[in-house]
Amino acid sequence: MHLVYLWVENYRCFHETGIHFTNRCEINVEKSWNETQRKSIYLVKVKNRQNALNAENFYGKGISDFRIFVAENGRGKTTLFELLDMILKKRYEYINTSIILGVGTKGENGEEEIKFGTIHLSTGDVYLLNGEYNGRLSFLTEQERDGIEYAIHYNDPDKEKRLESIKHQIDFVCQHTEKELNRWLKFPIPPRLMVQFNLGWDGLRQFRNMLTATHVENTNLNHTNVFSKKVEALNGIIGNFKWEYDRWINSICEELGKEKIEDILHGIGEVALYTYLKNGRMGYQEEVENSQAIIESWEQKVIDDREHRMNIGRTNVWNRIINVFEEGFVYNKDKWEKLKAVVEQLKNIDEELGNQYTEGLVLKIHEDSNVDTGAEALKKLNAFYEAYANFVGGQSDFEFLSFSWGMSSGEQSMLNTFSHIYQFQKNWNDEGTYILMLDEIDLSLHPRWQQEYMQRLKTFMEETLGENRKVQLILATHSPIVLSDVPGDFITYLSGKEKGKIFSKEDTNTRQRKTFGANIYDIYNDAFYFNVDDQGVIGGIAAKKFRKIKENLKHIDEKTEEEQEKLLEECRREIEYFDDDILKRLLLGLWKSALQKCNLKNVKMVQEYLESLPLEKFQEFQKLLDNWKAGKVQEKEETV
């Protein structure tokens, strides 16, 4: 099945809005009130589109349908994706408005059929009118709606599950050869992934702040009692332990040459302490006292190891950290065991690496361009990932590690998008039609990469979809460069205001807009609504200066002679900032007209300025001055 149409009665910026996901037909919903039955009636009219482009013929094998959404910020692109996600996941309690959804499928005899489903609306209130549509119209059952296969990728770090994304990226890189990755992404993938301590992690600091607040609150309420003092003492003991632990780690790293992974080793101690404290019951005095004793025992172990290491021997640093915390971890023993498993995996990575550190621990991905090497690496990486994900358990306050490929934000964005698409494909069956929605596809991409984006996506889909799978692509972009690879037949524009409020509507004038193979200036003006005001395609500061110069020159005759001289000089200087020849010629023409309105004294000022200019600019201004003089002579002759 593929998406055909969505009608939304009232949701955020959508107000009785109909949105098409295909160019094969035109659908319109007319809402009216039936006074006799005392209810709203929804009439759905469907007709064929004439001479519509075929997406698969245009973009190649496997692309069954294609739609790209363009709109200003706040006009509903991301809202549309989120709404579709809730509809297809049947999370209707978050929608709270009437919805009509149209999906396309093949009937029993192979003919096209559109099935309409409703949300918060009785199908008895909806009437389907087959105007000039060649296929069948029917209602969508709940079971059929469950069968719609789709995937959404928001190219937005705030919406991402970062740990899950890293997993997808590792899987994607390890399962393909270097040659394949270069062909799809057009940049070399680093053969290793850096693992470092997440410097933004502050779980322990927040916990200590909470303890401090507890003590202060008790004090302010005149409850300065034994418990309050115990809480204050515990906070001090935590600080002492951290100081001793950090000294200990520093000395170990200096001794063993592990300075590059100090952050991780420091971090493990903080996380272990946080894991212990968070799961304790710090509202009870006996628990606070017990925690004091255990942390002090850990601190003593650290001091003993630092001062008497020769007697203990050069045991592995990872084992020594585990030994510090092994005893006394009475709260949430299961969580401690999971943290130990992470430390064991980090130990394995460290031992494989030897002393060849760069900026931290390294997860090796590819030794060469052989995919078998990647598959072997994937086993080890999966073991590490599973241990770490198991410890984090979906709780962001336990994400103490960060991962980096050492790539630019644009490279990271491309890798993230393609690895998610690959992951979606792994979950698809060997045949069928699937819906793939990609939001903000141009995010962080250099204009040159935006030029190549559609071609890269097309190549990737052709080579990875397989023979019997098809995909409906639904994209959203702010990039006129990306849009130059898309004919108007495949574009939906969301725009419109109503009674001073923004209500997104489909702009039906799509075929008249210039996009495919058009120059960027035309696309900005036609497809991105830059032609609706006098700013054009230049920046806001430049547009403001342009308008200010125009306004000042227009009303220069209202100024005193001194003000005129100052204003002419100021405008002349600011006109020089403009690099566009058309804008500069326009402003120079206005400047000449203003000059003619002013006192002849200003002509001397201008001539002095012209003499200081390079030859090319001097000739340009000299021509203006000659024209002005000629105009004055003509005025005298006409007077005589």
Side-chain angles (χ1 to χ4, degrees):
M1 290 186 179
H2 59 273
L3 295 178
V4 172
Y5 184 76
L6 178 69
W7 184 85
V8 184
E9 187 160 40
N10 194 8
Y11 183 81
R12 295 188 188 175
C13 58
F14 297 128
H15 179 65
E16 295 189 7
T17 301
I19 299 168
H20 289 80
F21 298 98
T22 183
N23 63 337
R24 299 175 192 173
C25 60
E26 293 180 3
I27 302 176
N28 184 42
V29 174
E30 295 180 0
K31 178 185 174 185
S32 61
W33 176 254
N34 187 307
E35 186 63 37
T36 304
Q37 300 181 25
R38 303 294 297 173
K39 67 178 183 179
S40 294
I41 299 297
Y42 302 82
L43 182 62
V44 181
K45 296 181 178 180
V46 185
K47 66 177 183 179
N48 288 330
R49 275 279 299 274
Q50 301 298 320
N51 303 317
L53 280 178
N54 182 288
E56 192 158 17
N57 291 343
F58 193 87
Y59 283 111
K61 183 188 73 171
I63 310 296
S64 65
D65 218 332
F66 181 78
R67 180 74 15 183
I68 191 165
F69 286 87
V70 179
E72 295 180 38
N73 288 325
R75 294 299 173 90
K77 297 188 307 300
T78 301
T79 298
L80 174 62
F81 281 32
E82 292 172 345
L83 182 58
L84 286 169
D85 197 19
M86 287 188 288
I87 291 171
L88 297 176
K89 285 180 177 173
K90 300 173 70 172
R91 301 175 65 183
Y92 305 148
E93 67 274 16
Y94 297 104
I95 297 174
N96 197 30
T97 191
S98 297
I99 299 284
I100 299 175
L101 176 71
V103 299
T105 185
K106 293 285 186 183
E108 291 182 2
N109 59 357
E111 69 175 337
E112 289 286 335
E113 182 174 1
I114 300 178
K115 294 176 177 286
F116 289 93
T118 62
I119 298 170
H120 300 312
L121 190 64
S122 169
T123 53
D125 299 337
V126 178
Y127 296 86
L128 307 180
L129 180 62
N130 191 333
E132 303 169 10
Y133 181 62
N134 295 334
R136 294 182 66 240
L137 303 180
S138 62
F139 285 104
L140 184 70
T141 67
E142 283 292 314
Q143 186 177 5
E144 288 171 328
R145 189 179 302 176
D146 291 341
I148 299 173
E149 299 280 358
Y150 78 102
I152 299 180
H153 173 57
Y154 300 99
N155 200 12
D156 180 352
D158 291 335
K159 291 181 178 291
E160 268 188 27
K161 296 178 180 178
R162 289 183 293 272
L163 190 54
E164 188 176 278
S165 294
I166 288 295
K167 164 72 170 174
H168 295 339
Q169 293 165 24
I170 291 173
D171 191 23
F172 177 62
V173 171
C174 287
Q175 297 284 14
H176 297 97
T177 65
E178 190 177 339
K179 185 177 180 181
E180 288 174 324
L181 296 171
N182 285 340
R183 185 167 65 251
W184 298 328
L185 301 177
K186 302 295 184 181
F187 60 86
I189 298 293
R192 56 186 62 86
L193 180 68
M194 199 69 66
V195 184
Q196 297 169 304
F197 180 66
N198 179 10
L199 297 179
W201 185 84
D202 62 351
L204 185 59
R205 182 181 64 81
Q206 289 188 13
F207 188 88
R208 294 188 66 192
N209 289 344
M210 183 271 289
L211 286 178
T212 300
T214 300
H215 170 66
V216 171
E217 182 181 353
N218 288 336
T219 302
N220 291 341
L221 294 173
N222 296 319
H223 290 275
T224 310
N225 50 29
V226 174
F227 174 63
S228 177
K229 293 178 180 179
K230 290 289 185 183
V231 170
E232 183 182 12
L234 176 61
N235 209 342
I237 290 169
I238 293 171
N240 291 340
F241 171 78
K242 190 176 180 311
W243 186 76
E244 291 290 354
Y245 179 87
D246 287 347
R247 284 183 64 199
W248 176 58
I249 291 297
N250 290 340
S251 65
I252 290 177
C253 290
E254 184 179 350
E255 175 192 342
L256 302 179
K258 294 180 181 288
E259 289 87 351
K260 294 293 184 180
I261 61 169
E262 270 188 33
D263 283 344
I264 290 181
L265 298 174
H266 283 301
I268 290 172
E270 289 195 34
V271 172
L273 189 54
Y274 175 67
T275 302
Y276 168 78
L277 290 167
K278 185 181 179 184
N279 291 284
R281 295 183 298 169
M282 294 305 158
Y284 297 89
Q285 182 170 322
E286 62 272 18
E287 300 293 355
V288 171
E289 293 174 350
N290 191 40
S291 296
Q292 290 177 358
I294 289 172
I295 295 173
E296 285 177 335
S297 71
W298 289 344
E299 181 181 343
Q300 191 58 51
K301 282 187 178 183
V302 165
I303 294 171
D304 290 344
D305 187 83
R306 188 179 69 246
E307 294 179 351
H308 308 291
R309 193 174 307 129
M310 293 298 294
N311 298 329
I312 298 175
R314 290 167 59 94
T315 57
N316 186 288
V317 60
W318 305 98
N319 293 337
R320 284 152 74 174
I321 291 176
I322 290 175
N323 290 336
V324 167
F325 296 99
E326 192 70 61
E327 294 179 17
F329 215 104
V330 293
Y331 303 126
N332 202 337
K333 191 73 173 177
D334 178 62
K335 194 74 172 177
W336 166 241
E337 293 298 327
K338 290 175 180 177
L339 180 56
K340 275 172 60 177
V342 175
V343 176
E344 286 292 337
Q345 291 298 326
L346 292 171
K347 170 187 171 184
N348 293 339
I349 295 169
D350 184 20
E351 289 176 348
E352 282 187 15
L353 184 66
N355 289 321
Q356 303 303 310
Y357 303 107
T358 52
E359 298 175 22
L361 286 180
V362 169
L363 300 176
K364 295 181 181 178
I365 307 296
H366 277 297
E367 295 291 351
D368 50 40
S369 59
N370 190 326
V371 73
D372 292 334
T373 306
E376 185 62 32
L378 184 59
K379 294 179 184 178
K380 299 175 182 178
L381 295 173
N382 277 339
F384 164 72
Y385 172 84
E386 293 300 332
Y388 182 59
N390 193 32
F391 168 72
V392 172
Q395 298 172 279
S396 59
D397 57 328
F398 284 104
E399 287 190 38
F400 68 96
L401 294 177
S402 64
F403 304 86
S404 171
W405 295 94
M407 298 188 297
S408 70
S409 59
E411 290 171 331
Q412 185 66 56
S413 176
M414 287 292 291
L415 175 61
N416 198 28
T417 298
F418 279 70
S419 62
H420 273 81
I421 296 174
Y422 172 69
Q423 203 62 222
F424 297 148
Q425 290 180 349
K426 286 179 65 177
N427 296 323
W428 293 347
N429 295 325
D430 292 336
E431 59 180 43
T433 299
Y434 300 88
I435 303 164
L436 178 61
M437 293 179 263
L438 305 176
D439 191 19
E440 303 283 7
I441 58 175
D442 51 284
L443 196 68
S444 299
L445 298 186
H446 183 274
R448 175 67 69 183
W449 282 23
Q450 293 177 29
Q451 276 186 313
E452 300 172 355
Y453 185 90
M454 290 299 297
Q455 181 59 50
R456 294 186 192 185
L457 184 61
K458 175 179 178 293
T459 300
F460 181 70
M461 286 299 182
E462 287 176 341
E463 295 184 9
T464 59
L465 268 177
E467 290 296 323
N468 300 314
R469 292 194 298 197
K470 295 184 182 296
V471 65
Q472 178 186 19
L473 284 177
I474 300 174
L475 314 179
T477 186
H478 288 292
S479 169
I481 302 175
V482 170
L483 219 57
S484 69
D485 267 341
V486 184
D489 251 24
F490 300 129
I491 303 173
T492 292
Y493 301 94
L494 298 175
S495 65
K497 287 187 178 181
E498 193 172 297
K499 296 179 181 179
K501 295 182 179 180
I502 293 176
F503 286 111
S504 288
K505 302 280 188 183
E506 264 195 350
D507 187 337
T508 56
N509 193 27
T510 58
R511 286 186 170 184
Q512 283 68 45
R513 298 189 186 279
K514 298 176 181 179
T515 55
F516 188 76
N519 67 67
I520 300 303
Y521 179 83
D522 286 338
I523 297 176
Y524 268 127
N525 268 319
D526 284 354
F528 286 87
Y529 305 99
F530 275 61
N531 55 359
V532 298
D533 54 35
D534 62 353
Q535 181 168 327
V537 298
I538 63 176
I541 293 176
K544 186 174 180 179
K545 282 192 176 294
F546 181 81
R547 288 192 291 265
K548 181 182 176 183
I549 293 171
K550 280 175 57 180
E551 196 66 20
N552 285 338
L553 294 176
K554 180 180 177 181
H555 299 286
I556 198 166
D557 55 341
E558 301 171 5
K559 308 291 183 181
T560 66
E561 184 176 312
E562 183 179 346
E563 289 173 335
Q564 287 175 349
E565 183 176 341
K566 182 179 179 182
L567 196 57
L568 278 172
E569 170 62 20
E570 179 184 315
C571 289
R572 184 269 311 161
R573 186 171 59 251
E574 293 198 334
I575 289 171
E576 283 298 301
Y577 299 149
F578 286 85
D579 292 323
D580 182 83
D581 291 337
I582 296 176
L583 292 181
K584 181 175 281 189
R585 281 198 295 271
L586 175 61
L587 291 175
L588 285 173
L590 294 173
W591 189 81
K592 181 197 78 168
S593 298
L595 185 63
Q596 291 174 339
K597 297 178 183 179
C598 297
N599 192 297
L600 284 178
K601 176 184 176 183
N602 293 320
V603 176
K604 182 179 179 183
M605 173 195 73
V606 174
Q607 287 176 323
E608 291 175 353
Y609 165 70
L610 290 174
E611 290 173 2
S612 67
L613 291 176
L615 180 60
E616 183 180 343
K617 290 190 175 181
F618 172 79
Q619 290 172 343
E620 185 178 356
F621 274 84
Q622 188 65 53
K623 186 176 179 180
L624 286 174
L625 192 59
D626 290 342
N627 291 339
W628 175 79
K629 288 180 179 178
K632 283 295 181 184
V633 171
Q634 187 175 355
E635 284 179 14
K636 286 182 180 181
E637 290 175 349
E638 289 174 354
T639 302
V640 173

